[in-house]
Amino acid sequence: MTSEIIDREARNIFNLAAISLPPPHAVNDLLSIGVCVRCIFRSFGAHGSVYSCSSLTAPMLLSFLREEKGFHSDSSENGIDFDNDDSYCCVCLGILQLASDSDREMGKCEEKASVGGFVERVGEVIRRENHQIDGFSLEISIPPVIAANERALRLYLKKKYDCEEWFKDKFPSEQITVKDALRLLITSALEKHLDAKSGANEFRIRFMYTHSESSAKLQCLLANGHGCKRRKIEATVGIVVDLNGRTRKDSNAVCSESDAAILRALSSLQDHMFIEQFMLPPQKVSKPCQLTTTCHRMPIYIGGRYLKLSRKVSQSRWIIDDERMGEASVEEIIGDNALAICKGDSYKFHAAGREDIDVRMLGSGRPFLVEVLNARCMPSTVDVQQVADTINNSPERYVTVRNLKVLGSEIWTLMREGEAEKQKQYSALVWTSRPLTEEDLDHISSIENMEILQRTPIRVLHRRSPLERKRIIHWMRVEKIAGSCQYFLLHLCAQAGTYIKEFVHGDLGRTHPSIGFILGCRAEILQLDVTDVKMDFFD
């Protein structure tokens, strides 16, 4: 493109943004030291549509200055060679030029690219992962060396132009970030290419920019800083100094790769210390940042209530020494089917409490959530019903589900809060060492809101902390079994977290009082069923 030709879009945008530009000689200076056009506008506080102009280039900016400002300069004399420019912006390291050095995800070597080419390759990543999307949000990670470059440029401009009248008016205290400028540049094109609106948090496209060479130099410079803060900075950026004074990177240092730690170290340097360590202006780079593009969907929650109809099925997958305990698990029966319909990477199973493998879950069922990670498909109501039908019509009938539906992420918090407050009802088959009288049965049924103290049961001491817990038995009812005076069904409602088996037999005195203590005899629990879990928002 010749200096006489500027497209209409760029001309309009330049006119709107020109008020923020410094005098032409300063613009020319910035171009000559290797600052890209978008970083020039950022440095002088421009906002808005100037960053979304896909055809924003240095030749166009100079053409604008010639036509509108009467500026004349031989760019080759000032170190600007647009026809043979193998360097990248010394501030953003090529990010706002849409340049990247061998994108590892896409397997391509990239030069300064067009917006169309950039978004096309983003689309390739999404298509390769087979994601179905109707909206997206952008996550952008940039190397902390860019913050050092921005600071070095500000100090350079201040040192060189502070005495000129225009400087204080044109040089802002804040500027738009590289991340926000990149969003303005590519978002509209991405929306059009993907046929999806931005702003939805469920599906996220992540751009991770790194620049190993510049980042390594930055860490060494920080570690070699002067004064009493040196040891602190060395520890922060993962640099160690050997006995001979040589620095090396410690791969085992806790914060060696922490961008946040490096930024804190940078901010701790006063300007005079920064100037001693860093070159002003920042140096041009011959390689742009390396870009890794990934995408993922935030977790999808499918929830409802489950009934466990077998005493040989555990709640979660239970493997000991490569041997499965029980015939199946609730987690796998529900989770595997949910994962298949969502085409996710994996899943996590969450339930409001748990029952032992030999305890059935009956009645209304236990509330649960399946958290599907990075789902490729958003399940429809029909899809969810298909999952429920598959589980409920299984020949084994180990587990059935009720009220299965896709739920919002807030349900996780509600379940965790409700779990601590809920009441649970049980039915237990109990044997006693002596025949029971009507008086015994009436006494048990008359007890309400009885407080018990439970030490961690012996059977779970190997995996639970040894604690004492106060729990409430809200009510109990006794159901006689015909033809027997030593067997009965005990129906009870207890506070969440009560160990029911131990409440019956006492656990060698570790639960007090217990049914055995109340009756003054030995009591054993033969079978246990959970018959209700109170949690209304899962109904």
Side-chain angles (χ1 to χ4, degrees), residues 415-423 474 495-496 534-535:
M415 190 172 81
R416 291 277 74 86
E417 291 174 350
E419 184 179 4
E421 301 172 359
K422 70 180 182 295
Q423 297 178 6
H474 295 287
Q495 180 184 353
K534 300 293 185 182
M535 200 172 283

Side-chain angles (χ1 to χ4, degrees), residues 123-141:
E124 287 179 18
V125 173
I126 296 172
R127 286 190 292 272
R128 188 168 64 241
E129 293 288 326
N130 293 317
H131 279 287
Q132 297 176 359
I133 66 171
D134 54 9
F136 65 91
S137 62
L138 300 179
E139 293 182 345
I140 302 170
S141 174

Side-chain angles (χ1 to χ4, degrees), residues 157-425:
L157 289 170
K158 183 176 181 180
K159 181 179 179 181
K160 187 168 183 178
Y161 297 111
D162 192 30
C163 60
E164 298 189 19
E165 291 184 7
W166 61 267
F167 183 74
K168 291 182 180 179
D169 293 333
K170 295 289 187 180
F171 196 60
S173 58
E174 295 183 0
Q175 63 185 39
I176 190 171
T177 66
V178 170
K179 294 181 183 180
D180 287 341
L182 181 62
R183 287 190 177 95
L184 288 170
L185 175 58
I186 65 174
T187 297
S188 178
L190 272 173
E191 288 181 329
K192 184 176 181 180
H193 182 75
L194 300 176
D195 192 23
K197 287 293 184 181
S198 66
N201 289 324
E202 289 78 13
F203 184 79
R204 301 187 179 184
I205 303 170
R206 180 174 178 80
F207 304 121
M208 175 176 257
Y209 288 95
T210 57
H211 201 281
S212 56
E213 181 179 342
S214 296
S215 296
K217 289 180 180 178
L218 171 64
Q219 290 189 355
C220 288
L221 287 170
L222 287 173
N224 287 327
H226 299 293
C228 61
K229 294 185 178 180
R230 176 173 178 172
R231 183 181 299 274
K232 179 179 179 180
I233 294 172
E234 288 165 357
T236 302
V237 300
I239 300 291
V240 296
V241 182
D242 64 22
L243 295 176
N244 296 318
R246 293 188 295 266
T247 60
R248 62 179 174 83
K249 185 176 177 180
D250 181 6
S251 60
N252 296 316
V254 174
C255 297
S256 62
E257 300 299 330
S258 170
D259 289 354
I262 295 174
L263 290 172
R264 286 195 298 270
L266 269 175
S267 65
S268 70
L269 291 178
Q270 296 181 1
D271 283 349
H272 72 275
M273 293 177 63
F274 184 92
I275 292 172
E276 289 178 3
Q277 296 300 312
F278 291 84
M279 182 174 292
L280 305 184
Q283 291 180 297
K284 295 181 181 180
V285 292
S286 59
K287 289 184 178 181
C289 284
Q290 188 174 57
L291 170 62
T292 301
T293 305
T294 57
C295 56
H296 70 281
R297 189 183 300 280
M298 296 300 289
I300 291 175
Y301 294 93
I302 297 177
R305 288 177 178 264
Y306 76 80
L307 285 75
K308 181 165 80 74
L309 309 178
S310 170
R311 300 190 191 279
K312 296 181 180 180
V313 172
S314 58
Q315 185 189 76
S316 56
R317 187 170 180 265
W318 190 7
I319 305 293
I320 299 178
D321 296 331
D322 297 327
E323 182 178 351
R324 173 182 287 277
M325 301 292 106
E327 296 178 358
S329 71
V330 177
E331 174 185 37
E332 292 167 295
I333 292 171
I334 300 176
D336 288 353
N337 281 283
L339 184 67
I341 208 74
C342 295
K343 299 179 181 177
D345 287 346
S346 59
Y347 67 85
K348 297 178 182 178
F349 185 81
H350 312 281
R354 61 186 303 115
E355 67 282 328
D356 293 337
I357 190 171
D358 59 345
V359 176
R360 295 184 298 179
M361 178 67 239
L362 306 177
S364 60
R366 185 183 298 279
F368 73 90
L369 292 174
V370 177
E371 179 184 357
V372 181
L373 305 178
N374 198 24
R376 271 58 173 188
C377 301
M378 279 296 294
S380 65
T381 302
V382 174
D383 294 331
V384 174
Q385 186 58 50
Q386 180 181 335
V387 171
D389 292 344
T390 299
I391 295 170
N392 294 341
N393 296 328
S394 171
E396 294 84 3
R397 291 276 295 178
Y398 290 142
V399 173
T400 61
V401 293
R402 299 176 54 244
N403 301 334
L404 200 64
K405 64 187 74 172
V406 176
L407 300 165
S409 58
E410 70 279 355
I411 198 67
W412 169 257
T413 302
L414 290 173
M415 190 172 81
R416 291 277 74 86
E417 291 174 350
E419 184 179 4
E421 301 172 359
K422 70 180 182 295
Q423 297 178 6
K424 296 197 290 187
Q425 295 181 20

Side-chain angles (χ1 to χ4, degrees), residues 409-466:
S409 58
E410 70 279 355
I411 198 67
W412 169 257
T413 302
L414 290 173
M415 190 172 81
R416 291 277 74 86
E417 291 174 350
E419 184 179 4
E421 301 172 359
K422 70 180 182 295
Q423 297 178 6
K424 296 197 290 187
Q425 295 181 20
Y426 301 86
S427 177
L429 177 60
V430 179
W431 170 87
T432 55
S433 59
R434 67 170 177 83
L436 298 184
T437 65
E438 289 293 330
E439 184 179 352
D440 291 326
L441 302 180
D442 290 342
H443 176 52
I444 292 175
S445 297
S446 68
I447 295 174
E448 293 184 353
N449 296 320
M450 178 178 67
E451 184 177 275
I452 65 173
L453 185 65
Q454 292 193 307
R455 295 162 63 190
T456 302
I458 294 172
R459 64 186 171 92
V460 297
L461 264 176
H462 65 287
R463 55 186 173 88
R464 298 280 176 87
S465 301

Side-chain angles (χ1 to χ4, degrees), residues 1-8 10-11 14 55 57 59-64 66-67:
M1 176 179 293
T2 66
S3 60
E4 289 77 23
I5 301 175
I6 305 176
D7 68 32
R8 183 174 300 175
R11 182 184 293 278
F14 278 144
S55 56
T57 64
M60 293 172 61
L61 178 55
L62 284 176
S63 295
F64 171 80
R66 291 189 187 102
E67 294 184 14

Side-chain angles (χ1 to χ4, degrees), residues 497-535:
T498 304
Y499 292 103
I500 302 301
K501 293 176 179 178
E502 283 68 24
F503 170 64
V504 172
H505 59 64
D507 198 26
L508 302 178
R510 297 174 68 84
T511 291
H512 184 81
S514 64
I515 292 294
F517 176 83
I518 293 170
L519 296 175
C521 65
R522 181 182 167 197
E524 295 291 346
I525 187 167
L526 305 180
Q527 287 184 346
L528 178 64
D529 294 325
V530 186
T531 55
D532 195 17
V533 177
K534 300 293 185 182
M535 200 172 283

